Each structure stands twice: as structure tokens, then as C-alpha cells.
Amino acid sequence: MLDAKIPAGELKDKWQNYKANAKLINPANRRNYKIIVIGTGLSGASSAASLAELGFQVEVFTFHDSARRAHSVAAQGGVNAAKDYKNDSDSVWRMFYDTLKGGDFRSREANVYRLAECSMSLIDQAVAQGVPFAREYSGYLSNRSFGGVQVSRTFYARGQTGQQLLLGAYQSLMRQSAGKNLKLNTRHEMLDIITLNGEAKGVVVRNMDTGSISTHHCDALIIASGGYGKIYYLSTLAMNCNATAIWRAHRNGAFMASPSWTQFHPTSLPQLGSYQSKLTLMSESLRNDGRIWVPKSADEKRSPNEIPDEDRDYYLERRYPAFGNLAPRDISSRAAKERIDKGFGVGPMKNAVYLDFKDAIERDGKKTIQERYGNLFEMYRKITGLNAYEEPMMIAPAAHFSMGGLWVDYRLMTNLKGLFSLGESNFSDHGANRLGANSLLQACVDGYFISPSTVMDYLAEIKPMEKDEIHAWEKAAKRTKEKVGQRIDRLLAIKGNTTAEEFHKELGQMLYANCGLARNQKDMEFALGSLYSIQERFYKELLIPGDAAAINFELEKAIRVEDYLEMAILIVKDALQREESCGAHFREEHQTEDGEALRNDDDFRYVSAWEYKGDNRYELHKEHLSFDHVELKERSYK
Amino acid sequence: MELQLHIWRQAGPDKKGDFEEHYLDDLDEHMSVPEMMDHLNKKIIKSGGDPVAFESDCREGICGQCGFVINGHVHSPEKSTTTCQTHLRSFKNRQTLYLEPFRADSFPVKKDLVIDRSAFDRIVQAGGYIGVNTGQASEANTTLINHELAEDAFDSAACIGCGACVATCKNASAMLFTSAKINHLSMLPQGKPEASKRLENMVTQMDSEGFGSCTYTGACEVVCPQDISLKNITELNRKWLWEKIL
Ligand SMILES: Cc1cc2nc3c(=O)[nH]c(=O)nc-3n(C[C@H](O)[C@H](O)[C@H](O)COP(=O)(O)OP(=O)(O)OC[C@H]3O[C@@H](n4cnc5c(N)ncnc54)[C@H](O)[C@@H]3O)c2cc1C
Ligand code: FES
């Protein structure tokens, strides 16, 4: 059984106790330790900068051409913190409870509590960096609500909160990179981990401009590579988001936790055609003022504005009167799918629902709505050519956030010693469903506040690499580097007739249809068979033009798709194994009479952590979750 | 929908480049420009050719990764729009499009439509930050910032670092980019202590990267996908005058 190494003590004291007992390294000795960070999103940039500030030697790799382009930049809606500025009875406890419940009681109490506890310092930190959060006329910070909660604890910078937070972290990173402690390498992709005596001790990276492959040593390795929702091809993620870093860590022994738990965001733009490469998100904050509906009749022919209220089905308000349009994401997405599947969908492909601002504009005026969501309406216009001030938006669920990821303990260290995982790349705080505005927070808290303490605590237990270990390390590094070279050569040599993107699209469709918003055994068994055969075809039919010695985007894609194909098989196996519904994992066999998720706490109150055994074989390890401070309840938003 | 494309091909930074022609007759007007490029590249790859190197990531106008010049328009013929947010409905059926990389001496072409914009990172590295270490911050509401000031700071901070301002400027000046960052930070109370040093260091770095000087033509403001205002440059000049001359 897996041990998360949760510190002793009362829930509210655990993190303080941990810090009070964490081992330290004398400031003068810190420069003898080398830390590698993969990724410059919110979690990677903030961790790297904070560790460099402490005096460690930090080297950072990102595949982007600038650290500022990590996909954290795309987060729109906001970041949560239990500041209770609104006097609406918010507290660390309430935020902890909301998050735990939102995650359908499939996350660790101690981690979630720590997230809520550190949320306040994050806002302080961001403000000090110059993040221009929205302000009241009085000059005080402003808040709004997000799905799944009844308080206003979301801080925001118009519709570009992720961008502004990321710029704060990026600027701190650049500040450190001007000094002696931090080296930043852009356009470098991590392709493997170097392990020595069962510990992570370095990485193999490929320079994507020159094709050269190099090895780098470290005493601790931090993976902050973001989410893998792009495995579904059509998603709200950026084109280049991928699972390679975590997948390679997994193949080196790190356990993968609950990989099938992917959140489908309810307010994305629907697919319009087969050429489409991504689904753009419309921030959930829109649900503060927008009302979601479909026509009551499946044969409705009128344009939305001509349909009177009595012919509209405001299905979220109908099914979940207490939370209405602010019901959590998994529930809202599933409710939309239910309507669409029954034929009530709207739009040219009947694959969308309406999000309507008519009432809000009547109530608050167009100007107010414009101030709140102006850039989102503008974005909607750019993509669809439609004016949402005059007619309702059309939205649909889309693959969005990876709750699953590398299994980590309380210190955010994987079971592979010396390997840490932060931000969306780990499985930690969100359980089976993440609440809106909690993941910018988690990425920041992991990076700014947790990893500096826990990584130092770990490093204090080991010594920097000694001279007599160098030889062994070099041998291991050489071996790993050769493996990476062979892998690339193998892919290039296939010379078939199908592009990596074609395989990726096929994979995405397979997952959407059989292991997406709803899953059942029959479909998943079918998907598993199909995935094996896609994988087989991949190695026979892949076509990569050019060679590895220069910029080759097709090679980059092929490497990522190869890992995605392997990971997809584990995703389906994970979803098949879990015979219950929880959060975003909705097994059709396990639902209540009125279609709500039916959890099975007796048999599945654990995190699934999979060990890689080679050739699409995996062994399941369980981390049992104990709930000592809250009562396990059916998650109701009615 | 059909389009005649002339696309800039260049094998490497010091190689000579030229336009290559492609005719596409099976496009959809709702495709975005990068989706059209995906479509084209698939055809090129399948016929044994070398696909066009171009960059994009978020495809929603926020990461600043994409961008090329389309018929002389930096990013897009549409206002306040990145290349990735430009859809084919912005063009006429059978129109001829010339696609070129953003051009500036400080943004060397790496391959085809891919350019090197690392100069921007070095400008930020020189001082585009507030020097606060993790843990030093005081309670967020102790410093009040009025609504308008926060909104103004946001307007300057919204820059996505795409480089369109440089690409469109006849002097290849990076003044809009640099001034927006300086103003964002220096107008906020938190950013004031370092304002003078920041100004000096960032402007010095900008000059040493080889960007041209600003002659205030205002072309940058027109192509900026985030509508960063020319007022940022006015404000920077005012600060510079105040610091250096008066
Ligand atoms: C459209 C959208 C909107 C969102 N809105 C919100 C919101 O309003 N509120 C909220 O709380 N959350 C939101 N989220 C979620 C949140 O933005 C992310 O979970 C969070 O930003 C992830 O940060 P990260 O640091 O883990 O990863 P990222 O920001 O994705 O960074 C990953 C980094 O890893 C690098 N990388 C990856 N693999 C490799 C490799 N092999 N080698 C080298 N480098 C590598 C990348 O280059 C990048 O620098 C949103 C997400 C999306 C997609
Ligand atoms: S791809 Fe991100 S701005 Fe265009």
C-alpha cells in the first residue's frame, strides 16, 4: 500500500508542523545542489524562481520558445483564495470542504487543506509582483463566484488571469535567470529521465532547433509539464501540450495516478468541422450571469431570440435549483451531454447548448456586462463571427483538465526518489473533479510555497553528487541518451503514409466516444482493442518527413503521439477498473435513478496508482484515503 | 473555398529564401489560418515534400506564439486579431495570399515562417519585473489601488509578446513592447521603487538588441492584437525626458 507520508497532528496544524520540522540546508551550501525543472508554466516558473532565490543551482527546460508561452497563459477566469474579503463566511475550512466535496471525496484531506491554507499568501505574492487584479472603486480587491461554491472567492484580472499570473512568475524567473543561480533553456524538450540506483538524477533533452541531444545532471528533478487533456485531440489545451515528460517518468518507475480522470469543461465552443484543431474555452465565469438552456422541443426551428421562455428548458436551474447555472463542471457537462444526446442540441451540428445573457443585460445593462466579459464576447465574435450581446452563445463540453497525473506524496515527490511533480502534471488536490479557479492556485502554491520547502527537505537528506559517483552517472546518462536516439531513429525509419496528426485525431475520437464524459464497460473494451491496433499501425504507417538534425515539428508531434497512444491504453484500463462513478469519472453502470453519479466508498475509496510493467502491462497500487475530518456524503447540488 | 498561396520558404537563418506556390481548392471558410496550414502540410507530407515550418500553440490569441504577415498585414487583415484567430472567411474565394514571416533584424528567421524572438525575453530579463522574493509580500489589501489605475495597468500588461509591433514598424522598433512593460510595472505603487533603474536597464537592453528607434508613426498600435496603446510610448518618453534630461 502506498504511503503519502502525511505529517502527524491536527489537520489545521499539519503544514505548519511539517515546515517546522523540515530539514534545512545552510545558505552557503545550497549552491552545491543542482535542481532541474521541466516546464515554465505557473508551477515550474514559480518553483524555479523561488528555489533560485533560496540559493540553489536551478536549470530550467521548456519546449516553448519563451517561458511566457506556457499554457497557464490561457487561463481566463480566475484564481481562488479564502480571503473572505466579501464577508460571506468564507474560510480555509470552507474552501477545504468545497474542494474536497467538489473532487467527490477522492483526494487527500491534508493536501486539500494545505491548498486552502496557502491560498491567501498566493494573492499577496501575486499583488506584490504587480499582477493587476480587478479592483473595486474603493481600491480594494474584487471577487467573483465560480462553479461549485456559494461564496465569492475568485480573484481575477479581466478574462486573462492566467496570463497575468504567469507573467508575474515569468518575470520572477527572468529576474533569476539574469543572476548566477538559474539557467533557462528554451526550445528544449525533455525526452527521458536518467536514474541512478533508483533515484532521479538527470534528464535527456533535445534541442529542437538543432536536433542535438544532451544529458544533464541534477540532485532533484521537478516535472511541471502541465496537463495532458490534448490526448483527446480536440480540447481546450494548446497544440503542443503533451504527456511525454510524465509518461517518460512513468516508464522509469514513477506511478501514474488515476489517469482517466479528465475534466470536460462545460463552456467551450462546439466543434464545427473535421478540420478543427482545438476547442476554445469560454470562461466559466460567464455562468455567473449567463443562463444555460436548450429548446423544450427537439424539432425547434425558431432562432433562439424568437423562442419564448415557456418553450425553453433551463435544465441546470431545473435539475439543480440550489446551484443552478453554477453547478460544478462535471455535472454541468454531463447535463449538457444528456440534452444533446437526447436530440435537444442546438447549432448546425446539434452539438451545443445556449448560454444566454439576455436577462443579465436587461438587469445590469450592456456596459456592465461588457466590463465583466468584454474580451470573452470579443473572442467569441472572432471565432464564430457571432455577436453574443444580441443572441445567445453556443457552447459545448470539451476535454480540459487532467486531474490525473504522476502520483505524489505530501511532499509532492513521486515514488521515484528525487523526482517531484508540480501543477497539473501531478495527481494531488483535485480528486475526481477540479473546481474552477483552483488549479491556477494549485500550480502557484505547489511552486511558490510547497516545493521550496519540500525539495530542500529532501535535498538535506542526500549529498550532492560525489566525485566517485560521476562515472556511474555518466554511464547511466550515456545509456539513456542512446535509448532516446534509437527511439527517434526508429520513428523516422517507419516512412509509412499517415501523419502523426492523423493518428492523434483518430486517438482523440476513440477516447471521446468511449472513454469521455460517460464510460461503460462494453465501449471501453471495444476502445481497448482499437487502441492496440492503432498503436500497431502507428509503428507500421507513421510518416515523418525530414530528419532529426534540425527543426522538425512533425518529429516533435510523432514523439508526443507515440506516448499518447501508450498512455491512452492505461487511461482506458484505469477507467475500466474503477467500478463506480465519481466526479468526472461517470460509469454508466453506476448511477442513481435520476442519473447522478453513484460512488462506491466501500470498495473504491482509494487513489489508483499504476506501475509500468512494459508492453502495455500495468500493476495497480492503492493509496487508501481516510476521511477523519469530514463526513463522506453523496455530492448533492440540488 | 479556394485560395492561391505564396508562402515564404527559407531553410535556415543564413539561407536565401523565396516564395513557394500552393493552390488549395478544398478549404472551409470557418478554418483558422493555422488550420489551413495544417491542411496544406498534410498534403505536402503525403506527397513526399517538406512541410512549411510555422508556429502556433494556444490558437486562441493569448500565448503570442503564432504570427505571420498575410498580404502585408502583420498577423491578420482583421483588427486586434492574431494569425491563429484569423479565419478564412476574412478572405475572398480564390484570393491570392502572400504569407511571410515577421521581419526584423532582431527577429532572425529560423526556418520558413518561424522566427527567433528571444530578444524580447532579454529585455524583460534586464528589468521587466518587480524585485520581490517569494515570501516577502505583505497582505494584498494593505496597498489600495484604485479601479482606474488597476484597469490602466492591465491594459499595458495585456501584451502577449508576439512581436507584431516590431514587425510592422518601418524602423523595427520595440518601443511599444518595452514601454508597455515599463508602464505596467511603474504605474503601480509596488513597482515604483525600481522604476528608474527598470527604465534605464530595459531601454539600454532594447537598444543593444538592435531594435530601431521609434519615430512615432503609430503603426504598432494598429496591428497590436491586444490593443496596447501608443500612449505607453508617450509615457515612456516623458519619463525618459524627466529622468535623463531635466
Ligand atoms: C483554456 C484554459 C483555461 C483555464 N482557466 C483556468 C482558470 O480560470 N482558473 C484556474 O484555476 N485554472 C484554469 N485552467 C487550468 C490551469 O490553467 C492549468 O491547470 C495550470 O495553468 C497548469 O499550470 P502548469 O504549470 O501545471 O502547466 P503549464 O502552464 O501547462 O506549463 C507546462 C510547461 O511545461 C513545459 N513542458 C511540458 N512538457 C515538456 C517537456 N517534455 N520538456 C520540456 N518542457 C516541457 C511547457 O513548455 C510549459 O512550459 C485553465 C486551463 C485551460 C487550458
Ligand atoms: S497561437 Fe497563441 S496567440 Fe496565436
Side-chain angles (χ1 to χ4, degrees):
Chain A
M1 210 193 306
L2 275 168
D3 179 9
K5 306 202 185 80
I6 295 165
E10 292 285 314
L11 186 60
K12 66 177 182 19
D13 301 325
K14 284 183 192 291
W15 177 234
Q16 295 311 325
N17 287 350
Y18 173 84
K19 284 213 290 188
N21 295 310
K23 291 173 279 309
L24 297 174
I25 296 171
N26 170 338
N29 285 340
R30 290 180 196 159
R31 75 172 74 92
N32 300 326
Y33 290 87
K34 166 107 182 266
I35 300 164
I36 287 182
V37 179
I38 305 298
T40 61
L42 269 173
S43 59
S46 59
S47 177
S50 304
L51 286 161
E53 285 163 15
L54 285 170
F56 293 103
Q57 285 298 317
V58 181
E59 185 157 12
V60 184
F61 296 94
T62 166
F63 66 68
H64 283 96
D65 73 333
S66 165
R68 65 184 294 156
R69 306 206 204 283
H71 200 50
S72 292
V73 79
Q76 302 170 350
V79 55
N80 285 336
K83 284 276 197 189
D84 194 26
Y85 285 161
K86 289 278 179 173
N87 199 27
D88 55 4
S89 300
D90 200 6
S91 64
V92 170
W93 176 268
R94 188 180 293 280
M95 184 166 170
F96 153 76
Y97 187 76
D98 286 344
T99 304
L100 205 67
K101 173 183 168 198
D104 219 353
F105 303 97
R106 288 294 173 266
S107 49
R108 222 177 266 152
E109 280 185 340
N111 280 55
V112 176
Y113 194 88
R114 175 174 66 183
L115 179 74
E117 184 182 346
C118 296
S119 65
M120 290 160 312
S121 314
L122 186 259
I123 300 303
D124 303 340
Q125 180 68 24
V127 166
Q129 289 172 340
V131 172
F133 285 124
R135 300 270 174 169
E136 312 283 353
Y137 282 96
S138 55
Y140 290 98
L141 285 153
S142 180
N143 294 105
R144 59 185 172 202
S145 299
F146 250 49
V149 303
Q150 290 170 315
V151 293
S152 274
R153 66 163 75 100
T154 306
F155 294 76
Y156 63 101
R158 253 178 252 169
Q160 300 176 202
T161 315
Q163 180 205 25
Q164 293 307 317
L165 283 172
L166 182 65
L167 288 177
Y170 157 76
Q171 286 160 199
S172 296
L173 182 78
M174 296 316 284
R175 170 171 167 249
Q176 289 304 314
S177 77
K180 287 201 188 78
N181 293 348
L182 190 142
K183 179 160 186 264
L184 172 62
N185 306 280
T186 56
R187 291 278 297 153
H188 276 72
E189 185 146 23
M190 184 207 109
L191 294 182
D192 215 339
I193 289 183
I194 300 165
T195 58
L196 192 63
N197 307 325
E199 294 174 23
K201 288 292 179 196
V203 289
V204 179
V205 297
R206 176 171 181 270
N207 179 326
M208 299 150 89
D209 287 339
T210 65
S212 89
I213 296 176
S214 54
T215 59
H216 302 261
H217 166 264
C218 63
D219 298 296
L221 173 60
I222 298 177
I223 291 186
S225 59
Y228 54 84
K230 182 76 191 166
I231 196 168
Y232 286 83
Y233 191 73
L234 285 177
S235 78
T236 63
L237 281 95
M239 298 308 289
N240 297 307
C241 289
N242 68 86
T244 289
I246 58 170
W247 193 253
R248 293 289 135 180
H250 177 56
R251 287 177 64 117
N252 276 290
F255 294 168
M256 189 65 73
S258 299
S260 70
W261 291 356
T262 293
Q263 176 171 79
F264 293 81
H265 198 290
T267 57
S268 150
L269 297 184
Q271 183 180 14
L272 286 173
S274 61
Y275 52 82
Q276 203 154 322
S277 57
K278 84 160 282 166
L279 298 173
T280 301
L281 181 79
M282 290 283 114
S283 168
E284 162 169 293
S285 61
L286 291 168
R287 294 200 274 145
N288 270 300
D289 288 297
R291 294 179 70 196
I292 295 177
W293 62 277
V294 291
K296 276 188 183 157
S297 154
D299 309 314
E300 184 60 72
K301 296 275 178 309
R302 288 171 289 184
S303 74
N305 286 339
E306 289 167 5
I307 303 174
D309 247 15
E310 62 270 20
D311 293 338
R312 300 175 172 198
D313 177 11
Y314 293 94
Y315 58 86
L316 283 177
E317 296 171 26
R318 167 169 61 79
R319 286 180 66 180
Y320 308 101
F323 282 70
N325 294 294
L326 285 174
R329 289 184 179 170
D330 52 338
I331 288 177
S332 307
S333 288
R334 238 170 3 245
K337 180 176 156 60
E338 189 268 341
R339 289 288 83 188
I340 293 169
D341 286 351
K342 291 227 166 86
F344 295 95
V346 300
M349 289 171 78
K350 292 201 101 195
N351 59 353
V353 300
Y354 289 127
L355 175 64
D356 201 335
F357 293 88
K358 192 171 64 100
D359 295 343
I361 291 172
E362 267 167 34
R363 185 186 65 223
D364 299 334
K366 185 174 163 188
K367 187 163 175 285
T368 309
I369 297 302
Q370 200 159 14
E371 257 191 47
R372 281 187 203 146
Y373 312 111
N375 67 325
L376 296 171
F377 279 54
E378 183 53 23
M379 188 156 162
Y380 184 75
R381 189 196 57 76
K382 278 183 195 166
I383 296 170
T384 61
L386 302 172
N387 180 349
Y389 294 104
E390 272 154 26
E391 57 185 302
M393 288 184 179
M394 278 181 281
I395 53 161
H400 178 56
F401 180 85
S402 322
M403 275 79 71
L406 290 176
W407 182 88
V408 289
D409 64 14
Y410 188 74
R411 294 203 291 189
L412 305 183
M413 187 156 90
T414 67
N415 59 302
L416 179 63
K417 245 182 111 185
L419 174 66
F420 292 77
S421 172
L422 316 181
E424 199 173 333
S425 70
N426 71 20
F427 173 85
S428 61
D429 302 352
H430 308 294
N433 171 59
R434 168 182 71 97
L435 288 186
N438 260 358
S439 61
L440 287 178
L441 174 69
Q442 181 234 334
C444 290
V445 165
D446 284 4
Y448 287 116
F449 304 120
I450 301 175
S451 58
S453 180
T454 61
V455 172
M456 172 137 65
D457 185 36
Y458 167 72
L459 288 174
E461 292 166 5
I462 63 166
K463 288 204 205 75
M465 187 158 71
E466 310 251 7
K467 280 223 171 62
D468 58 342
E469 288 168 317
I470 292 179
H471 184 65
W473 184 86
E474 279 173 348
K475 260 176 68 183
K478 185 160 170 273
R479 212 175 330 118
T480 317
K481 183 179 163 182
E482 278 166 8
K483 247 178 37 198
V484 169
Q486 286 159 5
R487 177 181 177 205
I488 292 174
D489 292 344
R490 176 185 181 198
L491 294 178
L492 283 167
I494 300 172
K495 298 246 178 285
N497 54 12
T498 309
T499 64
E501 197 141 281
E502 287 176 291
F503 279 112
H504 195 171
K505 282 191 178 176
E506 192 182 346
L507 165 66
Q509 278 167 5
M510 184 60 62
L511 285 180
Y512 259 110
N514 302 299
C515 196
L517 270 161
R519 299 116 190 241
N520 65 58
Q521 185 177 352
K522 190 167 141 272
D523 291 350
M524 284 194 285
E525 277 168 358
F526 163 76
L528 209 50
S530 311
L531 288 172
Y532 289 130
S533 73
I534 299 178
Q535 201 181 34
E536 232 180 271
R537 276 200 288 114
F538 180 82
Y539 291 108
K540 285 195 196 125
E541 294 170 14
L542 174 70
L543 172 57
I544 308 175
D547 58 31
I551 294 184
N552 187 340
F553 292 118
E554 290 302 311
L555 172 63
E556 294 166 19
K557 283 186 215 166
I559 292 172
R560 295 167 187 164
V561 172
E562 184 187 21
D563 286 337
Y564 269 155
L565 281 170
E566 201 172 37
M567 184 173 197
I569 291 169
L570 178 60
I571 286 181
V572 176
K573 288 190 171 185
D574 178 54
L576 259 173
Q577 188 272 337
R578 189 168 282 269
E579 292 279 353
E580 67 161 349
S581 293
C582 57
H585 172 69
F586 189 74
R587 282 288 300 262
E588 284 166 352
E589 301 92 330
H590 304 286
Q591 52 181 310
T592 62
E593 265 171 24
D594 46 358
E596 302 299 336
L598 195 59
R599 243 179 27 227
N600 177 348
D601 290 328
D602 292 338
D603 300 324
F604 289 95
R605 205 203 307 159
Y606 59 78
V607 175
S608 306
W610 298 91
E611 181 182 356
Y612 182 78
K613 291 283 187 186
D615 293 332
N616 293 326
R617 284 177 303 117
Y618 302 90
E619 185 183 328
L620 177 64
H621 301 265
K622 297 174 182 173
E623 180 201 337
H624 283 276
L625 297 168
S626 54
F627 294 92
D628 305 324
H629 303 87
V630 300
E631 197 190 328
L632 283 179
K633 279 199 187 133
E634 187 195 338
R635 192 164 148 250
S636 167
Y637 292 92
K638 297 203 168 178
Chain B
M1 184 176 185
E2 303 178 21
L3 287 172
Q4 171 72 49
L5 304 175
H6 297 258
I7 302 175
W8 185 260
R9 303 303 305 262
Q10 183 176 338
D14 26 315
K15 300 276 163 50
K16 218 177 134 291
D18 204 354
F19 286 99
E20 181 178 281
E21 279 185 50
H22 292 277
Y23 195 80
L24 293 176
D25 59 4
D26 51 355
L27 299 168
D28 187 300
E29 61 164 359
H30 293 302
M31 277 181 173
S32 66
V33 170
E35 282 164 355
M36 171 188 78
M37 298 299 290
D38 292 344
H39 184 67
L40 169 67
N41 276 343
K42 187 165 105 184
K43 292 193 165 186
I44 297 180
I45 296 168
K46 293 212 167 214
S47 60
D50 177 26
V52 184
F54 74 98
E55 283 188 301
S56 74
D57 198 28
C58 73
R59 296 200 176 177
E60 53 183 86
I62 192 70
C63 74
Q65 185 82 69
C66 68
F68 25 93
V69 180
I70 307 175
N71 284 357
H73 300 284
V74 173
H75 266 312
S76 170
E78 305 286 340
K79 186 155 171 26
S80 322
T81 303
T82 53
T83 300
C84 63
Q85 292 275 70
T86 305
H87 293 79
L88 302 191
R89 56 181 175 264
S90 297
F91 308 109
K92 289 197 211 58
N93 194 20
R94 308 229 166 89
Q95 195 177 337
T96 300
L97 302 185
Y98 283 83
L99 308 182
E100 299 170 71
F102 283 5
R103 293 190 196 277
D105 286 346
S106 309
F107 290 167
V109 171
K110 291 207 232 175
K111 188 179 180 194
D112 299 342
L113 302 171
V114 179
I115 53 166
D116 176 356
R117 282 166 291 195
S118 54
F120 270 9
D121 284 333
R122 291 188 292 274
I123 294 175
V124 172
Q125 191 182 40
Y129 47 75
I130 289 174
V132 55
N133 279 5
T134 303
Q136 285 177 328
S138 53
E139 209 294 322
N141 259 343
T142 44
T143 313
L144 299 187
I145 297 172
N146 75 41
H147 178 78
E148 289 79 8
L149 183 61
E151 295 295 307
D152 285 350
F154 181 96
D155 286 339
S156 295
C159 168
I160 60 173
C162 62
C165 46
V166 175
T168 197
C169 175
K170 67 182 172 61
N171 309 317
S173 163
M175 269 294 259
L176 192 65
F177 171 81
T178 309
S179 64
K181 185 47 41 189
I182 290 175
N183 288 336
H184 154 220
L185 296 173
S186 302
M187 79 173 84
L188 293 170
Q190 309 87 300
K192 293 238 185 283
E194 292 162 295
S196 165
K197 198 170 94 210
R198 177 182 307 120
L199 175 70
E200 164 106 38
N201 291 348
M202 288 182 74
V203 170
T204 308
Q205 186 64 34
M206 175 182 80
D207 290 341
S208 75
E209 293 288 345
F211 290 105
S213 49
C214 169
T215 52
Y216 214 69
T217 65
C220 49
E221 183 186 58
V222 177
V223 299
C224 176
Q226 289 285 331
D227 300 320
I228 306 285
S229 161
L230 200 59
K231 280 192 265 175
N232 283 291
I233 300 185
T234 320
E235 178 59 22
L236 183 138
N237 284 334
R238 196 189 61 77
K239 286 196 185 108
W240 190 258
L241 207 68
W242 188 255
E243 292 262 332
K244 296 290 157 188
I245 300 168
L246 298 179

